[in-house]
Amino acid sequence: MAGLFGKENRPQPRHTMTRYITHISLAPAASMGQLTLGPDGHTAALDTKGAQWHTVPTTGLAAMEVNDEVADGRHTCSAKLTATLCGRYTPLAGPVAVLLTCADGTRLLLGTGERPMPAVTLADTLPDKAAERSAQTITVSYPSRPLALMGS
């Protein structure tokens, strides 16, 4: 039996990385092109022919936090994207895939047309003061690691 300071009682490392996003597109998961995973399982090649990508109109940079941690002997990774929209946006119905372009030019994919699927929510931000502008915020939560697209 392990004591108070046994291995299972030590805090496990948690890593959070923020990526800044310049472009967001959504497509119905059913329209996804052929996706070929790389040997590491974290990269992929995507044939975008036939995919019905819709640009999400954002203002400024979006931010995506990727959390990577080990808890209770399990490794988990998740991503959460938040962006302020310019104008009103009507989300696509049904499961979606999300294609992101980072500020450094890297392209990332949230969702592959199979489980797990990204969850997309929209919220209205109402200002405290009449002089401030209201806005709509989109949040995309994904319970897995984003795939880096090869050739980006």
Side-chain angles (χ1 to χ4, degrees):
M1 182 168 122
L4 180 60
F5 299 102
K7 184 176 180 181
E8 68 278 356
N9 291 332
R10 286 189 213 149
Q12 297 296 319
R14 178 182 177 148
H15 178 72
T16 300
M17 181 175 70
T18 301
R19 302 290 304 255
Y20 294 100
I21 310 300
T22 60
H23 188 83
I24 303 169
S25 297
L26 274 68
S31 78
M32 288 289 296
Q34 178 66 33
L35 182 73
T36 306
L37 285 176
D40 63 359
H42 303 297
T43 58
L46 176 65
D47 178 5
T48 57
K49 292 178 185 157
Q52 301 164 3
W53 295 104
H54 300 268
T55 299
V56 177
T58 61
T59 181
L61 290 175
M64 180 176 64
E65 285 190 356
V66 179
N67 293 305
D68 199 352
E69 69 179 309
V70 177
D72 298 325
R74 282 188 12 180
H75 179 244
T76 60
C77 189
S78 63
K80 183 176 180 181
L81 169 75
T82 304
T84 301
L85 306 181
C86 53
R88 304 298 296 170
Y89 177 72
T90 302
L92 300 173
V96 297
V98 183
L99 180 63
L100 308 172
T101 303
C102 300
D104 66 2
T106 303
R107 293 187 322 145
L108 301 172
L109 184 66
L110 304 178
T112 61
E114 298 177 6
R115 291 181 188 262
M117 298 285 189
V120 178
T121 56
L122 291 170
D124 290 318
T125 304
L126 301 174
D128 293 331
K129 299 176 185 171
E132 294 174 352
R133 294 178 53 179
S134 62
Q136 192 175 37
T137 302
I138 188 169
T139 302
V140 179
S141 300
Y142 185 57
S144 189
R145 179 185 310 275
L147 287 172
L149 295 178
M150 295 184 278
S152 47

